[in-house]
Amino acid sequence: MDAFQRQRELHSRFINGEEIDPSEIRSEIFESWKRSKKTVDPYMKRNTELLAEEDFKRLRLKYKEIIEITVPVMQNLYDMINDGGIEIGLVAAEKENNYILEIIGDELALRQSKYINCIPGSNWAEHITGTSASTVALFEDKPFQIYPFENFVCLLKDNTQAAAPIHDPETREIIGALTIAGNFKLVHPHTLGMTVALVNLIEKQIMTTRVQKKAEIENSYKTLLIESAAIGLIAIDSKMMVTHINKKAMQTFGFSKDIVGYNIISALSEVFETFKSTKRFSDVLMCDDCVTDELINISSKSGTIRCAISIRCIDLNEQRIGKVITVQEMSRLDTMIARTIGNNARVTFNDLIGINEQFLRCIENAIKVSDSRSSILLLGESGTGKDLFAQSIHNASTRSNQPYFAINCAAIPHELIGSELFGYVEGAFTGAKKNGNPGKFELANGGTLFLDEIGDMPLDMQTSLLRVLEEKAITRIGGQASIPIDVRIIAATNKNLKIEFEKGNFREDLYYRLNVISIDIPPLRKRRTDIPLLIDHMIKTTSARLGKLPVNADTSYVLACTLYDWPGNVRELQNVIERSINLSNRKLLTTDLLPEHITKNNNEIDNLHEANLKQYSKTIESEIIKACIKKYANVRKAAKELGISKSTLYRKLNQE
């Protein structure tokens, strides 16, 4: 009896429950038969364990990587063998299940496999279809070949298979198996070696593909980060050749073509007008050490580019192989700083309280000129709210999202006002900061600069200011480069500048330059009808700011404030209200909380007959009502402003 016949006899005896000598069968086969006998019908006609279509789609998506790599290898092998009856299969190892993902073979072999449901999506795990090459290979985690009648189910009695497990090249976890199967007359002993070689190739290809994808992802992230950077980035090699440049750097330097592969110095020479500009940059690039925030002015056809240059060296094995250059446009950096620390314009025209006709005309005119590029001169006594008007004008303009800076020309020492306005370069004077410092004109570029108390500006600074207004450019103290600026000037003074220039204290040409549009804000004593409204508004805002409960002011308190002339204007009134709220422990503000210089008129109020007191109060109320009606031209809005109902407002109007 030959080996083939003996194997068939042993298989038949085992599935019929007879005892056999295990030494006559390979141990892996015998152990698999024992496991299979518990759950598998050896006489099954076909496999009935098939995945639903949606489940199989999900499985293929999970194993997309191995499918994309393995299927071309399977196809190449099949094309090379070109033998009918041979099938090459890819199996997914899903816990205790072995699902067929792909099968490649000739039409006859595939038709026979389909008959027994050996198709993609079918489960050929050991507990379902018994012993096979793939089940033993996956269980034992080693390549394995099976011969006729070593398969447990009879429907595979003439089938020979060679299988090898496929491992994840990183975790070494089993992820599947490659199988070559066919009639025992077509499959040879060397088939197993070929299967193992292909699996090794597949595992290496998986690793290579992952490394490539990881590199692609990393490069994509690097490119995205480099191109998303708000600063210019240039990489050069040891020969000063550009290896990478992002769009921001191209834009900053005005390169019209990609300069990768070009010498950086030669590329810059084509763009910059002067050799001096290029040389300054070249000197920094040639430095052996790292450079941090080196300020460089580069003159090009489009103007002066002010940049902060930083350089980091790239060394490999103690050898310099390149450098990375970062280029930060100072104009952008200055704008960022200005937006962070300089935009202190909080007030809008809606925050200006008043119904006085002259005051309302000032607001109306200020609104009209908000978007004008012309300079504005705000006139008025101290405390009338010139700074509030300046903020409101800025916030009503198209520059509202740009920087807003305010400088009190009277508060800055003479020797410092120049550097405060125009900035300075490194070494301009003793104590000057390294790399210099931008002035308010640079920081306010694109926005608004409010020059308060302009009448107190020194004459030499007036000359510099006039030049800036005419040339639209500044030069830092100690520097030579002209820096273009776009700043809207709002100036303010409590002095009569016409008298000042007649005295020789103010430049006449600067006066006319600033006085293109002038707005004369009335003092509080000329807008007494606004005082009750201001008191009410200030009580509410000040109480909230101080964390105190809201209070009211009685009639005598309001009348005393209305009779006072307020030399400090609105600012003085605000201080008095805050003082009263701090001193009060009641829900009502009374005249005893007012400073003595305001209550000196109390005797006059106390001496008024009650009827006269009521009449005075009604007169003020009447003026306020009329002003509100005129301002809003709408009874409902006027009533809302006054804090009374519409019916109450009609009643008060009828009483007049």
Side-chain angles (χ1 to χ4, degrees):
M1 181 183 295
D2 60 21
F4 177 78
Q5 291 175 328
R6 181 59 180 164
Q7 184 66 46
R8 179 162 57 178
E9 180 184 339
L10 290 171
H11 177 265
S12 176
R13 289 174 57 190
F14 182 83
I15 63 177
N16 288 327
E18 300 177 27
E19 289 189 7
I20 62 173
D21 183 1
S23 63
E24 294 190 70
I25 304 174
R26 288 187 289 173
S27 61
E28 297 91 348
I29 297 295
F30 185 69
E31 293 300 323
S32 179
W33 279 5
K34 289 195 295 182
R35 293 191 298 271
S36 301
K37 190 175 183 180
K38 297 176 182 178
T39 58
V40 181
D41 176 9
Y43 300 108
M44 63 187 297
K45 299 299 182 182
R46 62 176 58 191
N47 186 355
T48 58
E49 294 291 322
L50 299 174
L51 280 175
E53 184 178 354
E54 288 301 317
D55 292 333
F56 186 50
K57 285 181 180 179
R58 282 192 289 270
L59 184 69
R60 285 183 61 85
L61 186 62
K62 178 180 177 180
Y63 286 86
K64 181 181 178 182
E65 178 186 52
I66 189 174
I67 291 172
E68 290 179 345
I69 292 171
T70 305
V71 169
V73 175
M74 294 164 59
Q75 188 63 54
N76 289 338
L77 174 63
Y78 180 78
D79 293 341
M80 183 175 62
I81 296 174
N82 199 23
D83 282 340
I86 293 292
E87 290 180 323
I88 305 171
L90 174 62
V91 175
E94 279 284 291
K95 297 180 180 179
E96 296 180 355
N97 299 308
N98 304 331
Y99 294 105
I100 296 176
L101 294 172
E102 289 281 351
I103 294 181
I104 293 176
D106 65 19
E107 185 177 349
L108 177 62
L110 293 176
R111 187 164 58 246
Q112 291 174 343
S113 293
K114 186 176 182 181
Y115 178 76
I116 62 173
N117 275 338
C118 183
I119 57 175
S122 59
N123 187 357
W124 285 76
E126 188 180 69
H127 66 280
I128 294 173
T129 56
T131 306
S132 66
S134 62
T135 60
V136 176
L138 291 171
F139 184 86
E140 300 288 345
D141 191 10
K142 67 180 182 180
F144 204 81
Q145 186 159 341
I146 276 187
Y147 300 97
F149 287 102
E150 286 187 325
N151 293 292
F152 184 75
V153 293
C154 295
L155 59 87
L156 297 176
K157 64 181 186 301
D158 295 327
N159 196 265
T160 296
Q161 310 134 31
I166 302 172
H167 297 85
D168 185 296
E170 294 178 289
T171 66
R172 300 311 301 167
E173 178 185 0
I174 296 176
I175 54 177
L178 184 69
T179 304
I180 300 177
N183 187 278
F184 72 94
K185 297 178 182 180
L186 301 175
V187 179
H188 303 285
H190 66 265
T191 304
L192 181 61
M194 185 166 51
T195 306
V196 172
L198 289 176
V199 166
N200 289 335
L201 177 63
I202 290 167
E203 290 179 352
K204 289 179 181 178
Q205 187 61 41
I206 291 173
M207 192 63 191
T208 301
T209 302
R210 287 182 182 177
V211 170
Q212 289 175 343
K213 285 184 177 180
K214 185 177 181 180
E216 289 173 3
I217 292 171
E218 288 178 351
N219 286 334
S220 296
Y221 274 111
K222 288 176 183 177
T223 301
L224 180 62
L225 288 170
I226 290 170
E227 293 300 338
S228 299
I231 60 175
L233 291 168
I234 305 173
I236 59 174
D237 61 19
S238 58
K239 297 180 180 179
M240 305 294 284
M241 306 299 287
V242 178
T243 60
H244 190 90
I245 180 170
N246 71 351
K247 292 178 181 178
K248 183 62 181 176
M250 294 279 290
Q251 178 186 351
T252 299
F253 290 112
F255 293 123
S256 58
K257 62 181 180 181
D258 190 352
I259 64 167
V260 172
Y262 286 75
N263 181 281
I264 182 65
I265 304 301
S266 300
L268 292 172
S269 299
E270 294 180 10
V271 175
F272 302 137
E273 281 191 329
T274 64
F275 172 75
K276 183 178 179 181
S277 295
T278 308
K279 186 177 185 306
R280 175 71 176 124
F281 197 3
S282 302
D283 291 343
V284 176
L285 287 178
M286 297 300 291
C287 183
D288 289 333
D289 298 323
C290 294
V291 176
T292 301
D293 293 336
E294 184 74 22
L295 289 181
I296 296 178
N297 293 328
I298 304 171
S299 298
S300 67
K301 294 177 181 179
S302 58
T304 298
I305 305 172
R306 296 186 306 111
C307 303
I309 306 293
S310 295
I311 298 175
R312 293 294 177 267
C313 302
I314 306 173
D315 295 330
L316 182 64
N317 297 327
E318 298 183 356
Q319 184 177 358
R320 182 67 41 83
I321 63 172
K323 296 178 180 180
V324 175
I325 309 156
T326 61
V327 185
Q328 175 78 297
E329 287 186 74
M330 288 303 296
S331 58
R332 185 180 184 278
L333 186 61
D334 291 346
T335 299
M336 289 171 59
I337 294 171
R339 286 179 178 172
T340 303
I341 66 172
N343 198 352
N344 296 315
R346 304 282 185 264
V347 179
T348 68
F349 285 116
N350 291 331
D351 299 316
L352 302 182
I353 307 298
I355 53 176
N356 174 269
E357 288 189 4
Q358 185 181 353
F359 184 72
L360 292 178
R361 277 197 301 272
C362 290
I363 294 176
E364 183 181 355
N365 291 335
I367 292 172
K368 288 178 181 178
V369 301
S370 289
D371 268 337
S372 171
R373 298 177 66 88
S374 301
S375 299
I376 296 177
L377 182 60
L378 300 176
L379 304 173
E381 298 176 5
S382 294
T384 52
K386 297 186 290 296
D387 58 328
L388 303 184
F389 266 80
Q391 292 183 45
S392 299
I393 291 170
H394 171 78
N395 285 326
S397 73
T398 53
R399 298 170 182 259
S400 58
N401 291 325
Q402 298 301 319
Y404 173 90
F405 277 90
I407 289 183
N408 189 323
C409 300
I412 302 174
H414 181 189
E415 61 274 11
L416 296 180
I417 192 167
S419 59
E420 186 73 17
L421 286 173
F422 310 121
Y424 55 84
V425 299
E426 182 177 345
F429 49 81
T430 303
K433 290 182 181 178
K434 181 177 171 37
N435 297 328
N437 201 52
K440 292 298 189 290
F441 267 101
E442 286 183 71
L443 295 176
N445 193 30
T448 303
L449 183 59
F450 175 48
L451 300 176
D452 200 7
E453 306 296 353
I454 190 73
D456 294 297
M457 178 178 280
L459 278 170
D460 56 338
M461 284 299 104
Q462 293 178 29
T463 303
S464 300
L465 175 60
L466 180 63
R467 185 170 61 252
V468 170
L469 295 177
E470 291 175 345
E471 298 177 1
K472 305 295 183 186
I474 62 105
T475 302
R476 288 189 182 185
I477 293 175
Q480 296 180 345
S482 178
I483 303 169
I485 51 107
D486 172 24
V487 177
R488 206 282 180 77
I489 297 295
I490 301 176
T493 182
N494 59 4
K495 294 183 177 182
N496 187 322
L497 293 185
K498 196 166 184 179
I499 294 175
E500 291 299 314
F501 76 66
E502 288 174 354
K503 292 180 179 179
N505 296 331
F506 201 83
R507 288 185 62 109
E508 184 176 3
D509 46 4
L510 179 58
Y511 168 73
Y512 288 116
R513 186 80 187 188
L514 293 173
N515 195 28
V516 178
I517 302 167
S518 64
I519 298 174
D520 195 349
I521 304 170
L524 192 54
R525 63 183 175 276
K526 291 188 178 180
R527 38 185 292 227
R528 293 188 189 275
T529 53
D530 290 343
I531 292 176
L533 296 177
L534 288 167
I535 291 173
D536 182 61
H537 174 75
M538 290 176 180
I539 287 175
K540 291 176 182 176
T541 57
T542 305
S543 296
R545 177 167 55 84
L546 297 178
K548 293 183 175 290
L549 293 174
V551 294
N552 293 310
D554 72 4
T555 304
S556 296
Y557 186 97
V558 175
L559 287 175
C561 290
T562 306
L563 291 172
Y564 181 60
D565 281 344
W566 299 105
N569 292 293
V570 178
R571 187 181 297 122
E572 184 184 3
L573 175 61
Q574 172 66 58
N575 292 340
V576 167
I577 297 298
E578 184 169 340
R579 175 183 185 274
S580 298
I581 292 173
N582 277 311
L583 293 176
S584 176
N585 57 5
R586 302 184 297 273
K587 293 184 178 180
L588 199 65
L589 300 184
T590 53
T591 54
D592 60 304
L593 299 171
L594 291 169
E596 186 178 349
H597 65 277
I598 294 177
T599 58
K600 67 180 182 179
N601 293 319
N602 273 7
N603 291 334
E604 299 176 22
I605 296 173
D606 293 339
N607 291 333
L608 287 172
H609 295 298
E610 186 177 353
N612 291 337
L613 183 62
K614 290 181 179 179
Q615 183 59 44
Y616 188 80
S617 178
K618 289 181 66 176
T619 300
I620 294 176
E621 183 184 74
S622 177
E623 289 184 22
I624 293 174
I625 289 174
K626 288 178 181 178
C628 272
I629 293 292
K630 185 173 182 180
K631 177 181 178 181
Y632 294 104
N634 182 293
V635 174
R636 182 180 61 80
K637 290 183 179 179
K640 184 178 180 181
E641 174 70 17
L642 293 166
I644 59 177
S645 66
K646 193 163 65 170
S647 60
T648 301
L649 179 56
Y650 275 122
R651 177 171 55 78
K652 290 181 179 293
L653 287 171
N654 292 331
Q655 289 175 354
E656 294 183 8

